[in-house]
Amino acid sequence: MQVNDELLRRLTNGKAALSKPLVIHRSSDTAVPLDYRSPPAEVEAWLRGKGFSEPTVQCLRVLTGAQLFSLNKEELRAVIPEEGARVYSQLTVQKALLEDVKKASELEAVMEKQKMKVDFEVENPLITDRT
């Protein structure tokens, strides 16, 4: 706690007192999935799992995953000024996770195809031997 106080003092050194207290929101680790096919119920569960305020949850819970992912930072800030940037940040992280899963799936498919080719060549050496 002393480190945080010291950091705050150094950041505000020579400046007037902060007009707004520094609050760092910590996301809850959640196993609630959110993807482009998520229905509104999953969107609501994801928002709650991430610890967003009730007004934010109430505002966004009517959206599907695809609709939520389609919103940009300015749109989110216009609808929910207090947490719009944080929602956008969490959505960006979620999109990156979904891309990682997609890339891993594509790699697994390529590797499986290559394995099947090698297995076929091992089992049928006369068919594949073209020398």
Side-chain angles (χ1 to χ4, degrees):
M1 198 61 162
Q2 290 175 334
V3 173
N4 287 343
D5 293 339
E6 176 68 19
L7 179 60
L8 187 57
R9 270 197 307 275
R10 286 184 184 207
L11 289 173
T12 59
N13 190 17
K15 298 179 182 176
L18 289 175
S19 59
K20 189 175 178 182
L22 179 62
V23 177
I24 300 173
H25 296 282
R26 301 209 185 270
S27 281
S28 303
D29 287 332
T30 179
V32 178
L34 182 71
D35 61 29
Y36 292 92
R37 295 179 308 273
S38 293
E42 280 184 13
V43 169
E44 181 179 0
W46 183 80
L47 290 165
R48 288 187 192 285
K50 291 294 182 184
F52 289 105
S53 68
E54 192 59 28
T56 296
V57 173
Q58 292 298 318
C59 184
L60 299 176
R61 72 180 186 166
V62 297
L63 302 176
T64 64
Q67 291 168 327
L68 187 60
F69 281 121
S70 73
L71 298 175
N72 64 38
K73 193 177 204 175
E74 290 73 32
E75 291 169 330
L76 286 165
R77 280 184 173 166
V79 176
I80 41 172
E82 292 295 318
E83 292 185 308
R86 186 170 154 248
V87 172
Y88 181 78
S89 179
Q90 289 294 321
L91 286 170
T92 302
V93 169
Q94 191 66 26
K95 283 180 189 178
L97 290 172
L98 292 173
E99 285 298 314
D100 287 348
V101 168
K102 181 181 174 187
K103 287 177 185 174
S105 297
E106 290 172 356
L107 177 60
E108 287 173 0
V110 169
M111 290 173 61
E112 182 62 28
K113 184 177 178 182
Q114 188 64 27
K115 181 182 181 303
M116 289 171 55
K117 181 180 174 185
V118 169
D119 289 347
F120 179 79
E121 290 173 357
V122 168
E123 291 172 5
N124 303 292
L126 296 176
I127 295 174
T128 58
D129 187 18
R130 299 178 188 229
T131 55

